[in-house]
Amino acid sequence: MGESLPRKDLFEIPDGVIYLDGNSLGVLPKGAASRATRVIEQEWGQQLIRAWNSAGWMDLPMVVGNQIAALIGAPEGSVATGDTLSIKVYQALDAALKMRPDRRVILSDNGNFPSDLYMAQGLIGTKNDGYKLRTPAPERVVAAITDEVAVVMLTHVDYRSGRMHDMAAITKAAHDAGAVVIWDLAHSAGAVDLDIGGSKAEFAVGCSYKYLNGGPGAPAFIYARPDVVQGIDPALSGWLGHDAPFAMELEYRPAMSTERLRVGTPPILQLAVLQEALSVWEGVDMGDLRAASMRLCDLFIAEVEAHCPALTLASPRDATQRGSQVSFAYEHGYAAMQALIERGVIGDFRAPDIMRFGFTPLYIDEEDVVKAVRVLQDVIDTEAWQDPRYQTRSRVT
Ligand SMILES: *Cc1c(COP(=O)(O)O)cnc(C)c1O
């Protein structure tokens, strides 16, 4: 394990909880709550509107964007923050389509997170100009990159199975065929080592409430390759993407930097919390993190297969083909996950039968993995999942 991992002391982890859901909502970093209180009481409460300047609120979106850039292998100034990931998908997709006006196909895959596909469908409807979305199986994407494809839009790590696309190879294949590339890093940022700059992809998007621990509703981010920024014609031309928001000009004139992908007023409370959350990465080597993550996931697979034979691995067995999560299929997966959660081991469930476990080396170690599997084994062996109160599905699974 990397020398600086885990860093459990930097997080508020409830007693008795083994948290294997950092891929969905990261844990609360220490310092985040007091930062939020400070922003509310001292900055908003006392400085009021002056805080946009005096407390650095106006700079916060770019400051936080630079912190994220460092984690995904992007240059300074190339990442803008704000809105939600779905919005950033829409913006990137529209910008990409306008870069290939003579092509009409958006290529994604049928494992993609539904919101990304829904946003593509909505954009196609708005454009009403013969655009089509194609969603082959993930392993057939490369073969589907034809010269009709305007943009290849993929989620790097599959939210359900953890399967990871080969970013460098697919980006190159897309570029060889003349297509623009968008990577969704929702399950990659803070989970695997990334070199977005080196990939040469035109766009990357992601959220900050998963492995980046920014809290529920934390702002999304968008990367644009520096040499394409000034050609982007923003779909959502809000005033904070304007070159001079406070000039109050009547005509939209986009900023000359990635800031042209901003839309409206930044969520200052969430950005401040995120800035605090990102400080836990100081001194973390992403190579160490990746190595620790692969070790934890491999150990989990070995332990589950040794002790819970009723579960079937639904993630790639080869660690190099996986992100930082492991999924198992189990017929009674929903009820079993509820029983597990009640016993302090928190993972989640994705339809139809997937029990999903995220591994975040910042606050999970080998001992947690072994303990979690003991509890899982007990739930399966004693059929604890049969309890009627585990059978009703909540709105969030
Ligand atoms: C988590 C996730 C989202 C969620 O989008 P929001 O707009 O932030 O709700 C979208 N796409 C992918 C691939 C995700 O994993």
Side-chain angles (χ1 to χ4, degrees):
M1 188 146 306
E3 300 218 359
S4 59
L5 297 169
R7 324 183 121 188
K8 293 189 188 207
D9 55 319
L10 298 183
F11 297 92
E12 307 278 0
I13 301 170
D15 286 340
V17 165
I18 299 176
Y19 195 69
L20 304 182
D21 214 1
N23 51 308
S24 205
L25 177 68
V27 299
L28 174 65
K30 281 191 181 150
S34 59
R35 175 72 183 273
T37 303
R38 203 161 72 237
V39 173
I40 292 173
E41 293 183 354
Q42 293 173 23
E43 297 177 6
W44 179 17
Q46 298 302 314
Q47 299 175 44
L48 289 164
I49 198 156
R50 294 167 290 188
W52 285 105
N53 295 312
S54 58
W57 288 357
M58 210 54 190
D59 299 326
L60 206 48
M62 228 42 203
V63 169
V64 172
N66 284 332
Q67 286 176 287
I68 294 172
L71 292 176
I72 64 170
E76 276 242 328
S78 65
V79 173
T81 54
D83 315 300
T84 77
L85 175 50
S86 303
I87 302 284
K88 292 316 187 201
V89 166
Y90 187 91
Q91 289 180 289
L93 195 50
D94 180 78
L97 291 176
K98 285 174 179 155
M99 288 163 70
R100 295 293 180 273
D102 52 337
R103 297 184 178 203
R104 285 291 176 276
V105 173
I106 298 167
L107 180 66
S108 188
D109 70 44
N110 65 11
N112 204 348
F113 190 84
S115 198
D116 295 34
L117 302 178
Y118 301 160
M119 294 312 280
Q121 290 159 13
L123 178 61
I124 287 171
T126 303
K127 290 181 107 60
N128 193 22
D129 194 19
Y131 285 92
K132 284 188 191 61
L133 172 64
R134 287 189 190 152
T135 54
E139 57 279 10
R140 304 191 64 89
V141 165
V142 172
I145 304 175
T146 62
D147 60 10
E148 297 167 289
V149 174
V151 51
V152 177
M153 175 190 79
L154 295 169
T155 296
H156 181 223
V157 174
D158 183 291
Y159 75 100
R160 213 189 265 121
S161 68
R163 175 209 30 78
M164 186 163 66
H165 274 305
D166 184 336
M167 180 181 286
I170 293 178
T171 304
K172 180 168 188 316
H175 284 168
D176 287 350
V180 176
V181 178
I182 303 170
W183 286 107
D184 188 325
L185 305 178
H187 293 276
S188 311
V192 300
D193 46 335
L194 292 165
D195 180 14
I196 276 295
S199 80
K200 299 278 184 273
E202 284 84 353
F203 297 97
V205 293
C207 53
S208 66
Y209 47 80
K210 293 171 180 161
Y211 293 90
L212 299 181
N213 309 308
F221 64 87
I222 184 165
Y223 159 85
R225 204 175 70 198
D227 63 294
V228 304
V229 167
Q230 294 188 11
I232 294 171
D233 174 16
L236 304 176
S237 38
W239 72 310
L240 286 181
H242 192 279
D243 193 41
F246 283 88
M248 303 293 175
E249 297 167 8
L250 292 186
E251 289 292 319
Y252 178 73
R253 187 163 59 77
M256 296 313 281
S257 68
T258 316
E259 302 220 34
R260 75 172 56 188
L261 293 170
R262 289 178 55 191
V263 183
T265 303
I268 294 302
L269 270 169
Q270 293 267 202
L271 276 167
V273 166
L274 178 57
Q275 183 184 23
E276 209 63 45
L278 290 170
S279 69
V280 304
W281 295 91
E282 274 162 30
V284 174
D285 177 273
M286 293 309 281
D288 285 350
L289 179 100
R290 176 68 173 143
S293 148
M294 293 199 290
R295 259 197 309 274
L296 292 172
C297 292
D298 282 344
L299 175 64
F300 183 73
I301 292 171
E303 288 286 306
V304 172
E305 291 190 330
H307 301 287
C308 312
L311 276 59
T312 311
L313 183 64
S315 295
R317 188 171 293 281
D318 175 356
T320 64
Q321 310 286 307
R322 251 189 351 244
S324 200
Q325 66 172 74
V326 174
S327 298
F328 277 91
Y330 181 48
E331 197 189 343
H332 310 291
Y334 181 79
M337 184 54 80
Q338 301 320 301
L340 202 56
I341 291 169
E342 200 167 277
R343 287 158 179 76
V345 177
I346 302 182
D348 63 20
F349 174 82
R350 286 294 175 267
D353 62 353
I354 296 293
M355 298 179 77
R356 198 171 69 147
F357 302 90
F359 295 88
T360 45
L362 292 177
Y363 53 82
I364 294 293
D365 59 23
E366 265 106 347
E367 200 187 319
D368 296 323
V369 170
V370 172
K371 272 195 208 157
V373 178
R374 291 293 172 274
V375 180
L376 177 60
Q377 180 184 4
D378 183 62
V379 164
I380 309 281
D381 286 353
T382 62
E383 300 196 3
W385 53 266
Q386 296 260 21
D387 194 312
R389 70 183 189 285
Y390 302 141
Q391 313 304 319
T392 328
R393 295 210 182 176
S394 307
R395 285 191 67 193
V396 175
T397 62

